[in-house]
Amino acid sequence: MVSRVFDLGKMSVKAKNFYRRALPSSCVDFSSEEGKQLFKESLLEGNANIYFRLAAQFRTQDEPAYCGLSTLVMVLNALEVDPGRVWKAPWRFYHETMLDCCVPLESVKKTGINLAQFACLAVCNRLHSVLKYGQEGEDFLSMLRKDVVASVRSDTNVVVASYDRSQLQQTGTGHFSPLAAYHTASDRVLIMDVARFKYPPHWVTLRQLQVAMCSLDKSTKRTRGYVMLQLRTDSMPLIAFALKSNLGSNDADFATAVLSWKEFLLCDMMPDEKEELQLCCRKFGQCFSPHALCSSEKDVMVDKANNYRDSAESLSKACRTVCSEVRQTSIAGVFSSSAVAALMLAWPFEPGYSERSDRLAQLAKQELKSFSPDTRNEIDLLTTQLLTLIECSRPPPVLPGKVNSEPSKCQWHSDACCCINDIKL
């Protein structure tokens, strides 16, 4: 460690800085003689195929809290996913700054992302994602070993670990990194640590990694774990609609909107189906219009000025199809914004929550049947974003009249719903 003193006018600032960290004895440095031997034997066993794709895109995280984003960028580029937009003209290539659809980058710089948010970002960028939270016991260890072996023996599947560094006797807490190889005899896995300024790639036993995955994430009150990622072929990223990327900076507002909407769903339905649908749509718009984003507000995904006309036209055609199909639904006529209508179609209604909720879920299901694959993909991605944001947003303030009481159903009146969430038609 080195300490330096900087004179800023009359103020002196003593700043600590470091050149890397020494790996603890429980971790085997990839470049050590033992590490090389482990890799050689893994390669001969066929348990390091995915290493070469990952190594070709190995990167150092751009920010101290960007381990999740950098890991995902590494995987996306390793699996040759076309982002559909320009990084640096004329090249389309993934970079951390592109991954802002589920969590705003300013929030990530401060606190990083959690496991659910990582999985959401993966799905929104054309990856099939299977999330598994850490558990104690041999069953989870066996499942982890099976999934790791399947990944390292392929060249299309990647396992990303979310773990607590302190459980590996390293400095720091939560971290993300991809796993690149497996050594059978020692039951060790190779972690391609994206914080290369801190630790080199290293081997740890799966049992050590399991313990590190079972550590609780304070932000979610859940264990860490791992995500299995694979490219979803014949799919596109979100092209027409999205949740606004600044939600994470003010997620209490979103959480309050969710609570208000859920309380409304508990209210008794109106006898007239048309009036009931209008009431539901207007309430949903009241809650979520500030959070919906349409294609006219989104960043341009393809730079037409840089000879990407074919790709641009393809995305533009798909976007028009999605918007057109959403506009033709029965609920879209109530909204001035197709983005809000798309969010309502994507809402993750809980089966059996209420009669009103089940009726809306059935309506959305019927509408989805008539959609093209591009539109169904768009709605599925929005559902993933909604589920992630609902899970990760801060607990909202208790609404007036609901302190220490169960939500109560209101009675329908001819003028309007007269519960706490009164809506003026």
Side-chain angles (χ1 to χ4, degrees):
M1 182 183 75
V2 178
S3 295
R4 295 180 179 177
V5 177
F6 301 93
D7 291 322
L8 302 176
K10 296 181 179 180
M11 179 177 66
S12 294
V13 179
K14 189 174 182 180
K16 294 181 179 180
N17 54 83
F18 304 90
Y19 179 74
R20 312 193 77 180
R21 291 286 194 184
L23 275 172
S25 58
S26 59
C27 304
V28 178
D29 190 332
F30 179 55
S31 62
S32 67
E33 290 304 315
E34 183 182 0
K36 293 175 184 177
Q37 185 63 28
L38 290 172
F39 182 73
K40 177 182 177 181
E41 293 174 7
S42 298
L43 192 60
L44 292 174
E45 293 172 342
N47 288 338
N49 287 346
I50 197 63
Y51 166 82
F52 296 98
R53 280 185 173 267
L54 291 172
Q57 302 299 334
F58 197 15
R59 62 180 291 109
T60 302
Q61 60 193 73
D62 283 352
E63 297 283 344
Y66 267 18
C67 58
L69 297 189
S70 297
T71 294
L72 186 54
V73 165
M74 185 173 162
V75 173
L76 288 165
N77 290 330
L79 296 181
E80 299 181 351
V81 181
D82 186 342
R85 53 177 169 165
V86 175
W87 163 58
K88 300 287 185 181
W91 303 108
R92 300 196 305 274
F93 203 63
Y94 270 103
H95 186 266
E96 286 90 339
T97 54
M98 296 179 179
L99 302 179
D100 62 351
C101 61
C102 297
V103 190
L105 293 177
E106 288 305 312
S107 293
V108 179
K109 285 182 181 180
K110 296 176 182 177
T111 61
I113 59 176
N114 59 46
L115 192 54
Q117 291 167 336
F118 180 93
C120 175
L121 283 167
V123 171
C124 289
N125 288 278
R126 300 181 59 202
L127 293 180
H128 176 66
S129 171
V130 178
L131 187 160
K132 298 186 179 181
Y133 287 100
Q135 299 176 24
E136 298 177 350
E138 294 299 320
D139 289 344
F140 179 84
L141 182 61
S142 297
M143 179 176 65
L144 173 60
R145 184 180 296 110
K146 179 181 178 181
D147 290 339
V148 167
V149 170
S151 167
V152 298
R153 295 184 72 86
S154 77
D155 58 5
T156 57
N157 302 330
V158 179
V159 169
V160 169
S162 170
Y163 58 98
D164 184 348
R165 281 193 184 278
S166 65
Q167 298 298 317
L168 300 179
Q169 289 76 55
Q170 299 175 0
T171 62
T173 52
H175 192 57
F176 286 90
S177 279
L179 307 180
Y182 173 74
H183 185 261
T184 305
S186 65
D187 200 29
R188 289 182 181 271
V189 66
L190 176 61
I191 298 178
M192 302 287 280
D193 198 325
V194 293
R196 294 195 290 179
F197 52 83
K198 188 175 186 180
Y199 291 113
H202 50 275
W203 297 87
V204 300
T205 67
L206 277 183
R207 194 172 295 277
Q208 286 178 292
L209 188 57
Q210 178 190 16
V211 172
M213 287 179 177
C214 289
S215 173
L216 284 180
D217 183 338
K218 293 181 180 179
S219 69
T220 62
K221 309 302 181 188
R222 302 191 69 170
T223 59
R224 304 175 196 277
Y226 65 98
V227 184
M228 296 184 293
L229 301 174
Q230 184 178 20
L231 175 63
R232 289 186 297 123
T233 57
D234 301 322
S235 65
M236 291 186 176
L238 278 167
I239 54 175
F241 310 115
L243 287 161
K244 289 187 176 178
S245 62
N246 65 349
L247 274 177
S249 61
N250 196 19
D251 50 16
D253 288 345
F254 180 81
T256 301
V258 171
L259 181 58
S260 180
W261 172 242
K262 285 192 170 185
E263 287 193 338
F264 168 78
L265 291 177
L266 291 172
C267 295
D268 291 334
M269 296 174 59
M270 299 177 71
D272 184 279
E273 290 187 6
K274 185 176 180 180
E275 291 183 358
E276 165 67 13
L277 180 59
Q278 289 181 341
L279 181 68
C280 292
C281 291
R282 290 183 182 182
K283 176 58 180 178
F284 190 87
Q286 181 189 71
C287 292
F288 298 106
S289 289
H291 307 303
L293 189 68
C294 66
S295 58
S296 62
E297 300 172 277
K298 291 175 68 176
D299 292 337
V300 177
M301 291 187 174
V302 180
D303 187 350
K304 294 184 180 180
N306 285 295
N307 300 318
Y308 300 128
R309 289 189 177 86
D310 291 343
S311 182
E313 289 174 3
S314 175
L315 285 173
S316 179
K317 181 180 179 181
C319 187
R320 287 196 300 270
T321 298
V322 170
C323 292
S324 174
E325 291 181 353
V326 169
R327 288 307 314 168
Q328 292 174 27
T329 62
S330 57
I331 69 170
V334 184
F335 297 115
S336 59
S337 166
S338 299
V340 183
L343 277 188
M344 189 168 179
L345 289 167
W347 185 262
F349 293 101
E350 303 170 42
Y353 183 75
S354 70
E355 183 181 2
R356 172 174 277 167
S357 177
D358 289 345
R359 184 74 62 86
L360 290 173
Q362 185 61 31
L363 175 62
K365 185 177 180 180
Q366 290 297 324
E367 298 285 10
L368 286 173
K369 288 181 179 179
S370 64
F371 286 166
S372 65
D374 285 340
T375 307
R376 285 198 297 271
N377 178 69
E378 190 85 359
I379 299 302
D380 287 344
L381 293 180
L382 283 175
T383 300
T384 299
Q385 281 197 335
L386 284 166
L387 284 168
T388 303
L389 196 57
I390 290 169
E391 178 180 344
C392 298
S393 57
R394 294 193 304 267
V398 178
L399 294 182
K402 292 296 179 182
V403 180
N404 298 324
S405 64
E406 293 295 323
S408 59
K409 290 190 176 183
C410 67
Q411 296 296 320
W412 173 79
H413 290 262
S414 57
D415 295 330
C417 174
C418 66
C419 66
I420 188 173
N421 301 305
D422 183 39
I423 302 172
K424 296 180 180 179
L425 293 174

